[in-house]
């Protein structure tokens, strides 16, 4: 007996248009007071949360809604003077994830001079292991997410030569599976979020030649369910964030047209909160800045007119990548 795919129902009453002003208000107000529950619960990802919110605002041309100098000052306080890495919050340990988020924010603001750039470069390079992989921080966890964070950070700083790129590519290639996808480590299950990280890594390093283009695109297209939404791996529910991970991956390998864009748009729009604004993972759930950014970024890749063009490799406004004169590789 066949097991039915897990999915959700897109109800008629779910929103069908982009609630832009509500999203802007949602991001501006999210966790602004130290007395907010959200503020107290998000210390461990504060800088990355700032990247999600600021990038979302810039994609809808409202970056000036938040105090630029306060943001930059906070990032400066999060840089560890000893290692050069940047942490999620003041007095936390530095980590590659938050180091990339901080560099992305400063590149959007065109203020990379506000931090010790050489310190960041030294920190990233110090986390590469002999097999080419990267740990996320001093505690030693290895994951292909960190390979992407390392090369994305260094490429934004124009210093990819600070690491052994060839060894880094060897490690990522070793994480490719028979289905064309990638996992967190060799022999780990393919997952859409990790596929994005590995394709983003290969896009930055110019090594997309190792990708099994059509095999991978087929696996990614199979993530679309009857609701129009995308999941991260087989037998999982759809989630707005995978709209980004899957679409960006398909865009990088030149297969964006292989999915139903109209039904996906309908799913993404249905995940908006009509009262508070913001996007949730699925209709009716609680919205947050993470899903709000990736909902807007996915709509940008689908050509939604009210949103600026996003770069599929860096998840940053395309004009910033152009200003930095970066040319991440994409396939046709």
């Amino acid at each position: 007996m066949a097991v039915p795919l897990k999915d959700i129902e897109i109800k008629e009453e779910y929103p069908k248009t982009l609630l832009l002003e509500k999203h802007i208000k949602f991001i501006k107000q999210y966790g602004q007071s130290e007395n907010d529950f959200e503020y107290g619960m998000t210390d461990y990802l504060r800088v990355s949360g700032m990247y999600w919110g600021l990038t979302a605002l810039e994609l809808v041309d409202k970056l000036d809604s938040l105090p630029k100098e306060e943001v930059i000052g906070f990032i400066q306080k999060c840089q560890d003077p000893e290692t050069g890495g940047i942490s999620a919050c003041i007095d936390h340990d530095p980590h590659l994830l938050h180091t990339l988020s901080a560099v992305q924010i400063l590149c959007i603001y065109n203020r990379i001079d506000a931090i010790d750039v050489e310190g960041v470069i030294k920190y990233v390079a110090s986390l590469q292991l002999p097999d080419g992989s990267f740990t996320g921080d001093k505690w030693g966890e290895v994951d292909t997410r960190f390979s992407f964070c390392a090369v994305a950070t260094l490429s934004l700083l124009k210093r990819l030569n600070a690491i052994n790129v060839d060894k880094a590519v060897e490690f990522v290639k070793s994480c490719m599976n028979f289905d064309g996808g990638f996992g967190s480590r060799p022999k780990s299950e393919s997952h859409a979020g990790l596929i994005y990280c590995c394709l983003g890594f290969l896009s930055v390093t110019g090594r997309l030649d190792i990708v099994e283009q059509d095999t991978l695109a087929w696996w990614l297209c199979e993530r679309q369910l009857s609701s129009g939404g995308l999941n991260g791996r087989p037998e999982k529910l759809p989630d707005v964030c995978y709209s980004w991970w899957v679409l960006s991956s398909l865009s990088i390998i030149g297969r964006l047209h292989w999915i139903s864009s109209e039904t996906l748009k309908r799913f993404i729009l249905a995940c908006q909160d009509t009262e508070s604004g913001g996007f949730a993972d699925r209709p009716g759930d609680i919205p947050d800045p993470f899903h709000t950014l990736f909902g807007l970024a996915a709509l940008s890749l689908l050509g939604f007119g009210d949103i600026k063009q996003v770069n599929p490799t860096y998840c940053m406004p395309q004009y910033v990548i152009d200003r930095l004169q970066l040319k991440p590789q994409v396939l046709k």
Side-chain angles (χ1 to χ4, degrees):
M1 180 178 177
V3 178
L5 287 174
K6 295 181 179 179
D7 201 0
I8 64 164
E9 177 188 357
I10 301 297
K11 298 179 181 178
E12 183 61 30
E13 63 264 28
Y14 292 157
K16 302 179 181 67
T17 58
L18 184 62
L19 309 175
L20 196 53
E21 292 304 315
K22 287 183 178 289
H23 300 325
I24 294 167
K25 183 179 179 181
F26 171 77
I27 295 169
K28 286 169 61 177
Q29 294 181 342
Y30 191 88
Q32 287 301 301
S33 171
E34 293 188 13
N35 296 318
D36 287 351
F37 174 78
E38 291 89 351
Y39 189 94
M41 292 299 290
T42 55
D43 258 11
Y44 70 97
L45 47 71
R46 180 87 66 233
V47 166
S48 290
M50 291 166 66
Y51 155 72
W52 300 328
L54 289 166
T55 305
L57 286 174
E58 179 58 2
L59 287 176
V60 296
D61 205 25
K62 293 293 181 180
L63 184 61
D64 58 0
S65 299
L66 294 180
K68 175 181 176 179
E69 293 307 319
E70 286 185 29
V71 171
I72 294 172
F74 182 80
I75 290 173
Q76 288 175 321
K77 292 176 183 176
C78 290
Q79 185 168 27
D80 180 19
E82 293 185 10
T83 66
I86 299 172
S87 60
C89 198
I90 299 167
D91 295 328
H92 286 219
D93 290 337
H95 196 287
L96 264 180
L97 291 171
H98 310 300
T99 299
L100 172 58
S101 293
V103 169
Q104 288 173 305
I105 292 169
L106 295 175
C107 284
I108 290 172
Y109 277 135
N110 201 18
R111 282 296 312 279
I112 201 66
D113 62 304
I115 56 170
D116 174 8
V117 172
E118 290 301 319
V120 170
I121 294 166
K122 180 182 176 182
Y123 175 71
V124 174
S126 74
L127 296 174
Q128 187 172 30
L129 300 180
D131 67 353
S133 65
F134 285 84
T135 61
D137 58 14
K138 66 181 181 180
W139 302 111
E141 180 187 8
V142 171
D143 193 306
T144 46
R145 289 178 301 156
F146 309 144
S147 295
F148 170 71
C149 290
V151 300
T153 300
L154 293 176
S155 66
L156 289 169
L157 299 176
K158 308 294 184 68
R159 286 295 301 276
L160 263 180
N161 62 348
I163 59 169
N164 187 329
V165 174
D166 289 340
K167 291 293 290 185
V169 171
E170 284 181 24
F171 175 75
V172 169
K173 184 177 181 180
S174 73
C175 298
M176 186 165 62
N177 294 319
F178 72 95
D179 54 18
F182 293 82
S184 59
R185 299 180 186 84
K187 300 181 181 180
S188 294
E189 177 186 12
S190 294
H191 184 284
L194 296 166
I195 288 170
Y196 161 75
C197 289
C198 291
L199 289 181
F201 169 94
L202 296 170
S203 172
V204 170
T205 56
R207 288 300 313 275
L208 286 169
D209 58 285
I210 74 172
V211 175
E212 297 289 344
Q213 196 171 351
D214 286 347
T215 303
L216 175 55
W218 182 256
W219 189 92
L220 289 167
C221 290
E222 286 187 322
R223 306 282 60 77
Q224 188 162 37
L225 304 175
S226 298
S227 64
L230 298 161
N231 62 20
R233 51 200 171 107
E235 299 302 321
K236 296 296 182 180
L237 287 171
D239 185 323
V240 157
C241 69
Y242 292 112
S243 302
W244 169 257
W245 310 126
V246 174
L247 280 189
S248 58
S249 297
L250 287 169
S251 183
I252 289 170
I253 61 174
R255 296 292 185 272
L256 189 59
H257 58 289
W258 278 26
I259 64 160
S260 171
S261 60
E262 291 306 312
T263 56
L264 178 55
K265 283 181 188 177
R266 179 73 186 93
F267 172 82
I268 296 171
L269 294 172
C271 294
Q272 299 174 102
D273 191 303
T274 57
E275 295 183 8
S276 68
F279 289 76
D281 55 351
R282 285 177 283 279
D285 288 352
I286 303 298
D288 59 67
F290 175 85
H291 288 94
T292 300
L293 168 60
F294 294 127
L296 290 171
L299 289 173
S300 173
L301 287 178
L302 293 172
F304 215 84
D306 293 328
I307 305 171
K308 291 181 180 180
Q309 183 182 0
V310 69
N311 181 272
T313 297
Y314 292 93
C315 196
M316 295 169 64
Q318 182 61 47
Y319 83 88
V320 177
I321 304 306
D322 292 340
R323 186 184 69 216
L324 293 170
Q325 298 182 321
L326 296 174
K327 297 186 182 299
Q329 184 186 17
V330 295
L331 300 176
K332 302 298 184 182

